[in-house]
């Protein structure tokens, strides 16, 4: 265990060094406590009082990272310089069949009860006994026999061990990101999937729900938070906005401190002459189309190939997404964020699937029986059944709405009857788990390595009907991918890892479980008139986005504090 322990110790030192450097860089700033930070992490027609951190239609947007903290936060922007949270260190066994975590001493839940290994083990057992509860752990079970985690066992109050079903050098990617729940509260919950958790008890920096209405709510500081002196901010305020236009109107007027909306011309749409309205859009994770491969016509590979070739990606990049997205070279579901992992020579034969070629797409459909059989002007399935499907997208996301509108037009140009379906954001998110859909546009989740992204995209525990995960909505089981990912996880040698990742890339390109679109920008806008400590292009200490699925937002908010001028204004009020 010594070798792996040494590796993890260096990782921890790097984490602490990064934290220290951030603090040192800000040492000359006058850290003033107070103020209410106004955030817009999502859009909805009305707020619902739900703070369940594993409710991905409502609660997780606000509960994760602000109210509940994970064991560990990966610093995706600076690999190896992570942020230990409820855990402070871990060791992987020499045989890679277990991983031992050491928890942070002195942490209390917001009601004063001590946080311990009992809570972590309880969260694991809760997820194991409620498979529909989307904790995100790859748990071995009858329905998921290839799952990674067999058990979690308490060693003492501050130590637990996770036993693995197979050797894995990367188990921490799966386990470290979990958000533990308080056993003394949740043990009496009958069904965690429907529990709204209206009065959250948590360990995060903001836990006290001070006010709540359908149009706005406020969550204030946790006086028992383990990081002494933090948060600097008193409260987080979440106003309700139903779409980009409404959000931008408020943002331009300086009424929102932090948001992450897609936009066409940020100087006109957001800055609008206000020196305090600022933005930064670094290249981020990929956006893909998830076709429901468990029903026709999406269960046909030739149809999926024709679908991909029908898309005018250049128009999508330059016009639909306003020139702010980045081209993805190969049909592998991931883009430029992981370009150093590409074997371009091995992937070049699949490049044609990313090229706009409606003529070839039509010919492929013709050759495979997707022709107009009833004379209505639209192609039908080979069995004669009609093809008509919806492309689901949140109504307020203008860049993605434009993208899906273009996809619809491109498909209709080759005789496929596809319709744009705009939905309220909460409705769109709620639909992801049910498997009752045609085509969804969805982001990918970055990880310390591409293994984490692909593990989510092909997680077998998220393929059961009624409890799919947002990353594997396609519903396709590809054993060769899971086998290659297993081999990747059994070595720390990057050359070997790249070899196995190339096998994953080739399988994705050959079977097309998702249709690759582009790399999204990391949408990030902020107003610095009242608060300081923001992530900037010159000081990119973490990924800057406010969105769900970016745990670094918890680190970001802890570095924000009132400016002197704003503090004086608060004092006058």
């Amino acid at each position: 265990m010594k070798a792996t322990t040494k590796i993890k110790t260096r990782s921890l030192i790097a984490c602490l060094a990064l934290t220290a450097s951030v603090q040192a860089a800000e040492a000359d700033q006058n850290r003033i406590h107070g103020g209410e930070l106004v955030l817009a992490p999502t859009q909805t027609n009305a707020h619902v009082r739900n703070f369940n951190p594993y409710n991905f239609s409502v609660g997780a947007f606000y509960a994760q990272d602000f109210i509940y903290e994970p064991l560990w936060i990966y610093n995706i922007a600076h690999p190896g310089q992570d942020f230990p949270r409820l855990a402070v260190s871990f060791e992987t066994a020499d045989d890679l069949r277990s991983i031992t975590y050491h928890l942070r001493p002195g942490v209390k839940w917001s009601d004063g009860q001590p946080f311990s290994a009992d809570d972590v083990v309880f969260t694991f057992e809760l997820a194991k006994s409620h498979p529909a509860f989307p904790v995100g752990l790859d748990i071995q079970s009858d329905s998921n026999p290839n799952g990674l985690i067999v058990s979690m066992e308490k060693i003492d109050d501050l130590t637990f061990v996770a036993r693995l079903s197979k050797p894995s050098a990367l188990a921490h990617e799966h386990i470290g990101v979990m958000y533990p729940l308080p056993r003394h509260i949740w043990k009496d919950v009958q069904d965690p999937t429907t529990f709204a958790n209206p009065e959250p008890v948590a360990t995060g920096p903001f836990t006290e729900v001070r006010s709540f209405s359908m149009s706005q709510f406020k969550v204030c500081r946790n006086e028992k938070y383990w990081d002494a002196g933090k948060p600097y901010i008193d409260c987080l305020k979440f106003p309700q906005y139903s779409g980009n236009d409404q959000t931008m109107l408020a943002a331009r007027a300086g009424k929102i401190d932090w948001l992450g909306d897609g936009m066409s011309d940020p100087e006109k749409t957001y800055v609008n002459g206000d020196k305090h309205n600022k933005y930064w859009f670094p290249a981020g994770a990929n956006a893909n189309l998830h076709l429901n491969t468990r029903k026709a016509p999406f269960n046909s590979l030739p149809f999926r190939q024709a679908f991909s070739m029908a898309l005018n990606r250049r128009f999508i990049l330059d016009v639909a997404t306003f020139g702010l997205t980045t081209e993805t070279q190969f049909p592998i579901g991931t883009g430029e964020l992981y370009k150093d992992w590409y074997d371009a020579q091995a992937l070049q034969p699949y490049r044609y699937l990313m090229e706009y070629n409606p003529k070839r797409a039509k010919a492929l459909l013709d050759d495979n029986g997707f022709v107009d059989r009833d004379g209505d002007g639209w192609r039908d399935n080979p069995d004669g059944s009609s093809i008509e499907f919806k492309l689901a997208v949140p109504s307020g996301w203008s860049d993605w709405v434009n993208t899906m509108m273009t996809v619809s037009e491109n498909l209709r140009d080759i005789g496929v009857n596809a319709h744009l379906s705009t939905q309220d954001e909460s409705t769109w998110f709620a639909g992801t788990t049910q498997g009752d859909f045609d085509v969804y546009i969805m982001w990918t989740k970055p990880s310390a390595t591409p293994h984490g992204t692909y593990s989510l995209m092909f997680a077998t525990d998220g393929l059961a009907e009624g409890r799919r995960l947002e990353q594997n909505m396609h519903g396709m089981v590809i054993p060769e991918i899971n086998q290659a990912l297993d081999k990747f996880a059994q070595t720390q040698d990057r050359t070997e890892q790249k070899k196995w990742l190339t096998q994953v890339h080739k399988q994705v390109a050959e079977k097309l479980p998702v249709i690759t679109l582009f790399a999204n920008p990391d949408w990030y806008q902020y107003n610095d008139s009242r608060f300081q400590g923001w992530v900037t292009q010159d000081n990119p200490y973490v990924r800057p986005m406010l969105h769900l699925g970016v745990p670094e937002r918890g680190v970001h908010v802890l570095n924000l504090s009132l400016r002197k001028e704003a503090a004086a204004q608060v004092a006058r009020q």
Side-chain angles (χ1 to χ4, degrees), residues 256-310:
I256 304 176
D257 297 304
W258 188 9
L259 67 157
D261 276 26
M263 55 181 57
S264 56
D265 186 338
E267 290 294 329
K268 292 182 180 179
T269 307
Y270 175 60
V271 175
N272 198 34
D274 187 334
K275 66 178 183 179
H276 292 294
N277 283 345
K278 299 180 179 180
Y279 66 93
W280 180 38
F281 300 153
N286 238 51
N288 301 315
L289 296 179
H290 284 246
L291 280 56
N292 193 343
T293 65
R294 297 196 174 182
K295 64 180 183 179
F298 313 116
N299 57 359
S300 165
L301 177 59
F303 183 88
R304 298 195 299 274
Q305 290 171 329
F307 192 122
S308 186
M309 290 187 289

Side-chain angles (χ1 to χ4, degrees), residues 174-351:
H174 299 270
I175 299 168
V177 296
M178 74 178 294
Y179 295 79
L181 300 169
R183 180 184 180 278
H184 65 287
I185 301 294
W186 286 69
K187 66 182 177 61
D188 297 321
V189 173
Q190 294 291 317
D191 184 354
T193 63
T194 60
F195 179 48
N197 195 30
E199 300 292 342
V201 172
T203 63
F206 301 94
T207 56
E208 306 305 311
V209 182
R210 289 277 178 85
S211 61
F212 192 95
S213 71
M214 290 189 294
S215 61
Q216 180 174 279
F217 68 90
K218 184 163 58 177
V219 184
C220 298
R221 69 167 55 247
N222 176 7
E223 298 296 343
K224 296 180 177 62
Y225 188 54
W226 57 265
D227 196 351
K230 291 187 177 180
Y232 301 117
I233 296 168
D234 280 343
C235 300
L236 305 181
K237 185 184 291 185
F238 298 93
Q240 172 266 326
Y241 299 108
S242 58
N244 280 30
D245 291 343
Q246 188 183 23
T247 305
M248 278 299 114
L249 186 64
R252 282 196 301 272
K255 295 181 179 179
I256 304 176
D257 297 304
W258 188 9
L259 67 157
D261 276 26
M263 55 181 57
S264 56
D265 186 338
E267 290 294 329
K268 292 182 180 179
T269 307
Y270 175 60
V271 175
N272 198 34
D274 187 334
K275 66 178 183 179
H276 292 294
N277 283 345
K278 299 180 179 180
Y279 66 93
W280 180 38
F281 300 153
N286 238 51
N288 301 315
L289 296 179
H290 284 246
L291 280 56
N292 193 343
T293 65
R294 297 196 174 182
K295 64 180 183 179
F298 313 116
N299 57 359
S300 165
L301 177 59
F303 183 88
R304 298 195 299 274
Q305 290 171 329
F307 192 122
S308 186
M309 290 187 289
L311 302 186
N312 188 343
R313 290 178 175 82
R314 177 49 54 192
F315 183 87
I316 291 173
L317 290 168
D318 293 343
V319 180
T321 59
F322 320 119
L324 298 172
T325 52
T326 303
E327 180 184 10
T328 296
Q329 299 180 49
F330 305 109
I332 57 175
T334 57
E336 295 305 285
L337 192 65
Y338 294 134
K339 64 182 179 181
D340 292 341
W341 290 86
Y342 290 167
D343 182 340
Q345 184 176 356
L347 295 176
Q348 191 60 37
Y350 308 102
R351 186 74 178 84

Side-chain angles (χ1 to χ4, degrees), residues 40 61 141 161 165 206 339:
F61 291 94
S141 64
V161 61
S165 63
F206 301 94
K339 64 182 179 181

